[in-house]
Amino acid sequence: MVGVMGAVRTVGVMALLSTFCGVLVAGLLIPVTTFVGVTSHSVADGFQNLPLALRDTPTAQRSKVLDSDGEVLAYFYSQNRQDVSLEQISPVMRQAMLSIEDYRFYEHGALDVKGTLRALINNATDGSTQGGSTITQQLVKQILVQRAKNAQERAAATEVSPARKIRELKYAMSYEEQHTKDEILENYFNIAYFGDGAYGISAAARHYFSVSPVELDARQAATLAGLVKNPVRYDPTSYPENALDRRNTVLATMESQGELRRKVSQKALKAPLGLDITAFSNGCVSSPAAFSCDYVRRWLMKDDALGDTPAERRNKLEAGGLTIQTTIDMRIQKATDAAVTDRVAPTDQAIGAQAVVEPGTGKVLALSQSRPMGNKRDSGQTYINYAVPKKYGGSNGFQAGSTFKTFTAAAALDKGYPASTTYLSPLEKVMPAGSYTTCDGGGTGKWNVRNSTGAGTFTMTKGLQQSVNTYFAQLEKLTGLCSTTTMAEKLGLEFPSEDEVGPFTLGVSDTSPLALSAAYATFPARGRYCEPQPVTAIANSSGNVIQKYGADCERVMEEATADTINEILAGVQSLSGFGAALQLDIPSAAKTGTTTNNRAVWYMGYTPAAATSSMIAGANRFGQPLSLANKSLNGSFIAFDAVGGSSLAGPMWYNAMSVIQDYLPDKDFVPPTSLGPPPADTPTAPTTAPPTPSSSVSPAPPTDGGGFPDFPGFPGNGGDPPGNGGGPPR
């Protein structure tokens, strides 16, 4: 039986070779109908069904993300590749590859007859794939693999059969007609896989030896040239002995061909591999600005400029060879990282976060949080970005407390009510049902509101600086609930219609540090709100800019309104304000915020050139809200009376901004001009002598005036739903 099978196989081989020679004579232009034996049908079908030419398909190339100074923050890739020209590859690297893979490359066409016949004989007789393919044929195979859209097409591109060899040959002949030899060799170097995740010669040179491809020497070149035959078996990081043997084979081959002097060859043969590994991390986990990087990625995944669908955008990011210029300033990033991690530990039952936005442009300069990126939840790691809105980070956000009072003040000022608008503000006040009207004309329920910062007669200036709840309950009624919520929406804040109630002014809505920073950046920008923007430009793999991003800003309030807010909130940073101990060397302003049950504290401070939110929110390992009272922050116990915006979040803000101020221009806020004649219903100081607020203002009151007690439906519902600490985002 064995003899019979051998005879049959021999007959088949002879028939195949005869046909093959006929095909060569005919230039592969005549139909093949007479193939017989074990490979006849597959070969014939392969010829008849092929198109005349192989279309060039761009190779997948890694994209890189740069900070504002042009330094790499991260790489995104499906294949770690960066194309280079042939001139950017050292001559000895080119020769090493030719010597071991296709020495007569510049002498023959697409087919090296001797090598190909040898491969066909071996393939047909024992079923194994024998070497002999030219560089052009190997390139064609890699192009077909790159183009494969499904498992069936990938299998066809890599099948072990003479049909595949013949198919590659026809494509290769057409390819050689359309490309020069140098173009073919360049494309081969860029598409070849060199193992350990390195695609193309540039990635391989930088990964294994930390040099550019033009700097490769003979020893390094021989190592890399030896890899393409079997990138797994000869991977020097996993199988150094195999890699050394293969390298020496390449060196000996080059010497025997006269391409390498014996002295150079012998020296290289005695040398170790000499690896100098550079790892190219994929994605944001290893980035020095992990969550800033993640925000950039998610922001771009929603950008139609990169494609009509999420799949198209992901492919563009991971295979398009893009250079993404971001707004992230690593000097500022390092300052916020240090401030946050110094105050809140990853495993604390709390989350610390900061966001820095440039007024007037919306540029996002830094994003930091206390829980690092990763999937080790027991170590405090997470893939949720708590510093950004839910659509970009997965967190529901946290209530912002009294920071929302500023929006009520802005709405009032924009209507012409002056900063001198005065109310008698007792410790407790009942706002009857119907006191407020929503934007759709609906009414609201009864609201019992209380202060934690004293009682008396307050102007808007003192009421905002001292965060007086009962004052703002009345100012919101005067201004109109709809006007207040509309102002918040103009400042980029999003909230459900259910939040349109009296306590809105006390911060019932969940928000994020980035959203709040962008909103407050409107004031030093003199009334112009700018959408947060983390990217300025994108260039393609050739270095040509394909997309630019300018500031997306619009005026949402009068300049005089914004200037008045700046003047009022600068008082918080004065010697008599909550931020007396948090003053910078440059002009600054701030607003504190504390929520019901002390679940979150905020310090929303800014200068004319940077708006920085600082938040500490009680949260379990899943991000669900908890009270900060009687918890520990980085080893320090926090008693109930120590929970406040200026006492917890404020120092974290100062630790960052005291460094950041050195990178900012020393300019002042613009003094406010007149708002014009006040409306006729503007409340003024009473003629009688009501109780006055205490002249002694604590720099760190327990709640900084936050909270909205005795209003059903708002228990402090920040944070994330159960189980929302999931895996890495896609």
Side-chain angles (χ1 to χ4, degrees):
M1 177 62 71
V2 174
V4 173
M5 292 301 297
V8 171
R9 182 177 293 122
T10 300
V11 171
V13 170
M14 295 304 296
L16 174 61
L17 294 179
S18 298
T19 304
F20 179 71
C21 292
V23 169
L24 292 180
V25 172
L28 293 179
L29 297 177
I30 61 174
V32 179
T33 58
T34 58
F35 284 90
V36 295
V38 295
T39 62
S40 62
H41 294 299
S42 59
V43 173
D45 291 343
F47 272 103
Q48 292 177 334
N49 295 331
L50 284 177
L52 292 177
L54 179 67
R55 298 191 314 273
D56 272 321
T57 300
T59 54
Q61 299 185 64
R62 72 170 182 261
S63 295
K64 58 184 177 181
V65 183
L66 308 180
D67 68 12
S68 60
D69 283 337
E71 297 297 321
V72 174
L73 286 179
Y75 295 100
F76 299 149
Y77 57 83
S78 56
Q79 295 180 358
N80 180 22
R81 178 188 285 111
Q82 191 73 45
D83 285 357
V84 293
S85 66
L86 198 59
E87 290 73 23
Q88 293 173 293
I89 304 172
S90 69
V92 71
M93 180 68 245
R94 288 180 252 166
Q95 189 54 57
M97 188 67 78
L98 293 175
S99 290
I100 199 65
E101 289 297 323
D102 190 354
Y103 182 54
R104 298 191 312 110
F105 172 71
Y106 281 98
E107 299 173 14
H108 60 65
L111 174 69
D112 182 351
V113 176
K114 180 179 178 180
T116 302
L117 289 178
R118 182 180 69 247
L120 283 170
I121 292 172
N122 282 277
N123 291 344
T125 54
D126 63 18
S128 64
T129 299
Q130 174 76 16
S133 295
T134 64
I135 277 180
T136 308
Q137 288 172 275
Q138 293 180 50
L139 173 60
V140 164
K141 175 184 175 181
Q142 292 300 321
I143 291 175
L144 291 172
V145 171
Q146 289 282 331
R147 284 179 50 189
K149 298 178 181 179
N150 52 52
Q152 182 178 3
E153 291 183 2
R154 282 190 292 272
T158 58
E159 66 177 343
V160 180
S161 72
R164 194 205 83 206
K165 288 281 188 181
I166 297 296
R167 182 167 60 247
E168 290 172 0
L169 174 58
K170 183 176 181 182
Y171 276 135
M173 295 179 70
S174 174
Y175 199 84
E176 287 238 0
E177 291 177 356
Q178 300 170 19
H179 298 80
T180 67
K181 283 289 189 177
D182 282 353
E183 288 174 342
I184 293 170
L185 185 59
E186 177 181 303
N187 292 343
Y188 178 76
F189 268 114
N190 284 321
I191 203 171
Y193 180 52
F194 291 85
D196 203 30
Y199 290 83
I201 188 61
S202 179
R206 296 181 188 280
H207 174 58
Y208 290 114
F209 298 109
S210 297
V211 298
S212 67
V214 77
E215 298 173 302
L216 290 165
D217 60 25
R219 172 178 56 87
Q220 297 164 337
T223 302
L224 298 183
L227 282 171
V228 295
K229 179 180 180 180
N230 192 325
V232 176
R233 180 180 180 184
Y234 299 123
D235 181 350
T237 64
S238 300
Y239 305 103
E241 292 183 359
N242 292 351
L244 188 64
D245 289 343
R246 178 64 175 167
R247 182 205 69 179
N248 291 345
T249 297
V250 176
L251 289 169
T253 301
M254 294 177 71
E255 181 187 339
S256 69
Q257 294 170 347
E259 301 297 343
L260 200 63
R261 287 180 296 147
R262 179 173 178 77
K263 182 178 180 180
V264 175
S265 173
Q266 292 303 308
K267 181 179 179 180
L269 284 168
K270 296 175 183 178
L273 286 173
L275 300 180
D276 183 7
I277 299 294
T278 293
F280 288 87
S281 58
N282 188 5
C284 298
V285 174
S286 300
S287 171
F291 283 103
S292 291
C293 167
D294 185 66
Y295 171 59
V296 168
R297 186 186 67 83
R298 291 180 184 237
W299 190 83
L300 289 172
M301 280 295 293
K302 295 183 180 297
D303 184 6
D304 293 341
L306 295 184
D308 294 331
T309 67
E312 290 177 359
R313 296 168 204 148
R314 180 176 292 110
N315 182 67
K316 196 77 170 180
L317 282 177
E318 296 180 354
L322 306 177
T323 297
I324 302 163
Q325 182 65 59
T326 77
T327 59
I328 305 304
D329 187 324
M330 282 305 300
R331 301 171 304 170
I332 295 176
Q333 181 73 52
K334 290 176 181 178
T336 56
D337 284 346
V340 169
T341 56
D342 181 66
R343 195 70 184 97
V344 186
T347 55
D348 285 346
Q349 289 189 303
I351 296 166
Q354 290 185 337
V356 187
V357 172
E358 183 178 78
T361 66
K363 290 181 179 179
V364 180
L365 304 180
L367 297 169
S368 296
Q369 68 180 48
S370 57
R371 296 185 180 180
M373 185 175 287
N375 56 12
K376 297 179 181 178
R377 186 175 289 170
D378 289 342
S379 299
Q381 294 181 353
T382 181
Y383 283 102
I384 295 176
N385 190 343
Y386 291 99
V388 299
K390 184 175 183 178
K391 63 182 177 181
Y392 296 119
S395 170
N396 286 336
F398 296 89
Q399 293 172 328
S402 293
T403 60
F404 270 41
K405 289 173 181 169
T406 305
F407 309 142
T408 304
L413 291 167
D414 225 36
K415 280 193 168 186
Y417 294 108
S420 60
T421 299
T422 304
Y423 279 110
L424 175 61
S425 304
L427 282 174
E428 298 186 16
K429 188 172 181 63
V430 176
M431 304 303 293
S435 296
Y436 307 98
T437 303
T438 64
C439 290
D440 61 6
T444 60
K446 175 184 174 182
W447 176 25
N448 298 325
V449 57
R450 295 194 298 270
N451 290 334
S452 61
T453 54
T457 300
F458 294 87
T459 62
M460 189 188 305
T461 296
K462 288 299 182 182
L464 187 55
Q465 290 175 350
Q466 297 182 26
S467 205
V468 181
N469 291 347
T470 55
Y471 177 89
F472 275 89
Q474 297 174 85
L475 183 65
E476 184 182 48
K477 179 181 178 182
L478 173 69
T479 306
L481 174 60
C482 183
S483 295
T484 297
T485 58
T486 298
M487 176 59 73
E489 288 175 333
K490 288 180 179 179
L491 296 173
L493 297 172
E494 299 179 354
F495 45 86
S497 59
E498 292 79 9
D499 288 1
E500 197 175 354
V501 291
F504 182 86
T505 190
L506 304 189
V508 301
S509 296
D510 295 330
T511 192
S512 67
L514 177 59
L516 200 62
S517 288
Y520 268 74
T522 305
F523 304 123
R526 306 194 69 203
R528 290 180 60 82
Y529 169 76
C530 301
E531 287 283 347
Q533 176 186 297
V535 178
T536 58
I538 298 177
N540 62 18
S541 59
S542 300
N544 299 318
V545 175
I546 58 174
Q547 185 70 26
K548 287 186 176 181
Y549 300 89
D552 183 8
C553 307
E554 65 174 323
R555 177 160 300 285
V556 296
M557 66 183 70
E558 296 296 327
E559 289 184 348
T561 296
D563 295 341
T564 302
I565 291 291
N566 294 332
E567 183 177 63
I568 294 172
L569 294 185
V572 177
Q573 291 289 93
S574 70
L575 292 176
S576 62
F578 291 149
L582 310 175
Q583 296 181 74
L584 303 178
D585 296 332
I586 60 177
S588 61
K591 180 68 188 78
T592 58
T594 304
T595 68
T596 293
N597 299 323
N598 294 327
R599 291 185 171 185
V601 292
W602 296 74
Y603 202 80
M604 184 56 248
Y606 59 92
T607 73
T612 302
S613 58
S614 184
M615 178 203 78
I616 300 177
N620 62 17
R621 61 186 296 196
F622 301 106
Q624 296 168 297
L626 301 171
S627 173
L628 288 166
N630 302 317
K631 300 291 192 303
S632 290
L633 295 181
N634 212 3
S636 298
F637 179 77
I638 307 300
F640 179 85
D641 59 3
V643 179
S646 58
S647 57
L648 288 185
M652 189 169 79
W653 177 87
Y654 177 79
N655 287 345
M657 287 301 295
S658 61
V659 175
I660 294 170
Q661 66 178 341
D662 293 337
Y663 313 133
L664 304 176
D666 185 6
K667 59 181 182 180
D668 207 344
F669 299 109
V670 177
T673 57
S674 173
L675 297 169
D681 61 347
T682 301
T684 58
T687 56
T688 57
T692 57
S694 170
S695 60
S696 176
V697 179
S698 169
T703 63
D704 298 315
F708 31 90
D710 300 332
F711 196 92
F714 292 95
N717 56 342
D720 300 307
N724 200 21
R730 289 295 299 164

